[in-house]
């Protein structure tokens, strides 16, 4: 009842409009889940170049913090690539201004021990920050079903104070169905990047 789901979208350039009178145009909408690096004109690179376009809008319209993540895995090299693309509806709860945010990524083994970690640079004063940062983890094919990728978004309030905006987990201990589906789709596509929006869970 409270969740809205985007069924499809299309980027339409206003330069194509006829300045004289009306014009009728039929637009073929594309499902968001099909957005990948090769198939759709609304790939993550297109998203970053048209930041004000509808293609950058997240799934929900209720102001819930969300994160657009790209995943790909190369079984030959054992490289798990995670792209932090952009966020949506990040809020600063303490003061009435846009937050200074960054992301932390942790790769955990089957018993929850940390295998690797990294973090993005800070995006200052942006409620809808564009990160466009890619991180590569070495994961053997036989380990892929046993690892968990945790992504947390933090608001840095001062040099020493930070607060978590939200988090998601993908892999063995996924935090939800969307996350599990994204992970499984990444494994099935064999090296092609799969991009999906994820609603951040509260800390």
């Amino acid at each position: 009842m409270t969740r809205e789901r985007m069924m499809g979208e299309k980027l339409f350039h206003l330069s194509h409009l006829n300045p004289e009178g009306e014009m009728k145009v039929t637009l073929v909408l594309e499902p968001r889940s099909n957005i990948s690096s090769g198939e759709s004109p609304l790939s993550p690179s297109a998203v970053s170049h048209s930041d004000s376009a509808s293609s950058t809008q997240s799934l929900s319209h209720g102001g819930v913090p969300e994160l657009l993540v790209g995943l790909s895995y190369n079984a030959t090299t054992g490289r798990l690539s995670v792209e932090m693309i952009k966020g949506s509806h990040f809020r600063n709860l303490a003061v009435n201004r846009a937050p200074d945010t960054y992301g932390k990524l942790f790769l955990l083994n089957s018993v929850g021990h940390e295998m690797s970690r990294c973090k993005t640079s800070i995006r200052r004063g942006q409620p809808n920050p564009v990160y466009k940062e890619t991180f590569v983890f070495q994961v053997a094919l036989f380990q892929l079903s046993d690892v968990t990728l945790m992504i947390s978004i933090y608001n840095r309030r001062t040099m020493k104070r930070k607060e978590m905006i939200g988090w998601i987990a993908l892999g063995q201990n996924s935090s939800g169905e969307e996350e599990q589906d994204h992970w499984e789709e990444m494994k099935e596509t064999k090296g092609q990047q799969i991009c999906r929006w994820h609603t951040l869970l509260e800390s």
Side-chain angles (χ1 to χ4, degrees):
M1 291 292 291
T2 59
R3 182 109 189 227
E4 295 179 6
R5 186 61 57 104
M6 181 182 289
M7 297 178 65
E9 62 179 7
K10 185 69 174 180
L11 193 62
F12 181 73
H13 295 282
L14 296 181
S15 58
H16 298 159
L17 283 176
N18 181 359
E20 305 296 329
E22 296 182 357
M23 63 181 291
K24 294 183 179 180
V25 180
T26 300
L27 298 178
V28 180
L29 302 183
E30 298 182 25
R32 165 84 39 131
S33 60
N34 284 356
I35 295 180
S36 62
S37 56
E39 294 179 350
S40 167
L42 296 182
S43 64
S45 59
V47 167
S48 65
H49 293 315
S50 58
D51 199 36
S52 61
S54 63
S55 61
T56 65
Q57 298 308 306
S58 58
L59 294 173
S60 73
H61 301 279
V64 179
E66 292 184 306
L67 184 67
L68 182 59
V69 178
L71 297 178
S72 64
Y73 180 73
N74 186 318
T76 305
T77 60
R79 289 162 65 92
L80 170 64
S81 298
V82 183
E83 184 176 13
M84 298 273 287
I85 302 173
K86 70 171 297 176
S88 177
H89 300 115
F90 289 177
R91 293 187 297 275
N92 191 336
L93 300 177
V95 293
N96 190 23
R97 65 177 179 83
D100 300 337
T101 63
Y102 62 94
K104 278 188 174 183
L105 298 86
F106 297 90
L107 190 68
L108 310 175
N109 65 13
S110 58
V111 293
H113 293 160
E114 183 182 311
M115 299 168 63
S116 182
R117 70 162 65 186
C118 46
K119 71 176 184 177
T120 70
S121 53
I122 296 176
R123 298 296 183 270
R124 302 187 185 280
Q126 299 179 39
N128 304 303
V130 177
Y131 295 102
K132 292 292 291 178
E133 294 186 40
T134 300
F135 303 92
V136 177
F137 301 93
Q138 284 297 135
V139 183
L141 182 59
F142 71 89
Q143 292 178 302
L144 194 59
S145 297
D146 300 329
V147 298
T148 301
L149 174 69
M150 286 197 64
I151 303 177
S152 305
I153 300 295
Y154 288 91
N155 171 30
R156 188 167 119 167
R157 293 176 57 183
T158 65
M159 289 295 288
K160 293 185 178 180
R161 294 191 64 187
K162 65 182 181 183
E163 60 187 8
M164 185 186 289
I165 292 176
W167 63 280
I168 58 170
L170 306 103
Q172 183 192 38
N173 296 311
S174 291
S175 52
E177 287 187 18
E178 290 280 343
E179 289 70 36
Q180 186 64 39
D181 289 347
H182 193 179
W183 190 262
E184 293 302 322
E185 190 175 354
M186 172 202 73
K187 294 197 311 189
E188 292 169 3
T189 50
K190 303 187 188 311
Q192 188 175 15
Q193 188 187 51
I194 304 297
C195 303
R196 282 197 183 185
W197 284 97
H198 295 278
T199 301
L200 297 180
L201 301 175
E202 294 183 3
S203 57

